[in-house]
Amino acid sequence: MTIPETNRMYIARDVYQNWKRLVSGAEDCITIYSPFFDRLILSLLSNTDLNKEKIIIVTDLRPEYLLENPGQLQTIKQAFLDGISVLTIPDLHAKVLLIDDRYISTGSQNFTSRGRKNKECTTVPKESMNGTPFVETLVQWREEATPIDEELVDNLISQLSNRIAQHKNLIEETKIDFEIICKKHQQAKRDLEIRRFKELERQSKIRFSIFKVYASIKTLSANRFSLPGSYY
C-alpha cells in the first residue's frame, strides 16, 4: 500500500522499483547504507550510467552479520571487481539509499533478495533534503567510514568459508527443530482441547441422566397421587 503526501511517500511493500528509479536518475553520486546486502545491490547499481568511482556502499563488516548473510563477502569482492568502493563503520543498522547527497529512500528493507519478500516499510521524501541534518549525518557517516581492504576480504572468504557453511547448516537444523517443536506444541493444544471437550460431554451426559431420573420420579409421584379412588 502506498500513501502519498505533499512531500513524502510511505510504502508498505517491496521498494526495489522505487530504488531503481532513484538510481537511474542519479547525476552525481550514489551512496547505499546497509548492514546486509547481496548481489541484488549490484543488480540495482547496474541501472546507473555514473562512473563506478561515484558509487559507495557503506556497511558494518562484523562477524555475526557475515554468518547471517553468507553471500555478503562474495558480493563485496564482486563490487571491488566492478570498481565500487565498500566502506565499513561500526554499529551501522540503517538502510538508506542516498542519491546526489540530496534524495533519499529509507526504511526497514535490506538490499537483499530476501528483503524483497519480507513485510517492510519505507519512506521516500519527494523533495531535496540537501543541507538537512539528516543528510549531513549520512555524509558524516560516509566520511568516518573506513575502506574495506580487498586482501582482507579474500582472507575472510578463504578462512571463514567452512565456519559460515557450518553456521548455515546449524540454521537449517534449527529451522527443522523449530518446526517440530511448533507442531508438537500445536498437537498438545489440540489434544488438551479434545480432552476438555470429552470431559464436558461426559459431564453433560451425567447431568442429562440425573435430569431424566428426576423427571421420572416426578412423573411417578404425580401418578401416585392421581390414582382413581384415592382418598387424597
Side-chain angles (χ1 to χ4, degrees):
M1 181 178 68
T2 303
I3 304 175
E5 286 195 358
T6 54
N7 63 344
R8 66 181 60 86
M9 181 167 53
Y10 298 105
I11 304 170
R13 55 169 171 75
D14 172 34
V15 75
Y16 182 82
Q17 294 302 324
N18 296 81
W19 289 342
K20 190 175 178 179
R21 284 192 291 271
L22 286 169
V23 166
S24 63
E27 298 176 351
D28 182 49
C29 61
I30 298 172
T31 307
I32 295 179
Y33 302 80
S34 183
F36 302 108
F37 55 86
D38 58 20
R39 288 185 177 271
L40 178 90
I41 201 171
L42 302 179
S43 176
L44 173 65
L45 292 171
S46 68
N47 292 284
T48 182
D49 294 328
L50 286 179
N51 189 304
K52 294 301 187 290
E53 295 179 355
K54 297 286 188 177
I55 302 173
I56 296 175
I57 298 171
V58 181
T59 189
D60 180 4
L61 189 66
R62 63 168 69 185
E64 56 266 41
Y65 287 176
L66 298 180
L67 291 175
E68 291 180 47
N69 189 29
Q72 188 151 323
L73 284 173
Q74 292 291 348
T75 302
I76 293 174
K77 182 174 177 63
Q78 186 59 51
F80 290 152
L81 295 175
D82 293 344
I84 298 171
S85 297
V86 185
L87 315 179
T88 181
I89 186 171
D91 304 320
L92 179 73
H93 199 260
K95 296 90 176 178
V96 185
L97 172 61
L98 176 61
I99 302 295
D100 300 332
D101 289 352
R102 292 183 295 168
Y103 300 103
I104 69 162
S105 169
T106 182
S108 62
Q109 185 168 333
N110 287 307
F111 292 80
T112 61
S113 300
R114 174 62 189 174
R116 299 195 63 184
K117 301 174 184 178
N118 293 337
K119 294 178 177 64
E120 309 283 2
C121 293
T122 303
T123 183
V124 184
K126 295 182 179 179
E127 299 174 359
S128 171
M129 296 190 67
N130 184 39
T132 64
F134 186 87
V135 169
E136 288 177 355
T137 298
L138 293 177
V139 172
Q140 181 181 347
W141 289 353
R142 186 176 64 202
E143 292 174 350
E144 292 175 356
T146 56
I148 296 176
D149 184 83
E150 187 171 354
E151 185 177 352
L152 171 62
V153 172
D154 288 336
N155 289 334
L156 290 172
I157 291 173
S158 63
Q159 297 180 39
L160 294 182
S161 294
N162 290 338
R163 188 164 299 176
I164 289 174
Q166 290 171 2
H167 181 77
K168 184 177 180 180
N169 292 334
L170 180 60
I171 290 176
E172 293 303 318
E173 291 172 3
T174 303
K175 286 180 179 178
I176 293 172
D177 290 342
F178 181 86
E179 289 297 325
I180 292 173
I181 293 169
C182 287
K183 288 179 180 178
K184 287 182 177 179
H185 175 71
Q186 292 299 324
Q187 185 61 51
K189 288 179 65 176
R190 285 193 294 269
D191 292 344
L192 179 60
E193 290 299 318
I194 291 172
R195 288 196 298 271
R196 285 175 176 172
F197 175 78
K198 288 182 177 179
E199 178 62 21
L200 288 173
E201 186 179 39
R202 186 183 68 83
Q203 292 177 5
S204 296
K205 288 180 179 179
I206 292 173
R207 285 195 295 268
F208 182 69
S209 297
I210 293 172
F211 173 76
K212 286 176 67 178
V213 170
Y214 177 73
S216 298
I217 293 172
K218 285 192 67 177
T219 302
L220 288 173
S221 298
N223 290 340
R224 176 187 176 190
F225 291 105
S226 61
L227 289 173
S230 171
Y231 295 100
Y232 299 93

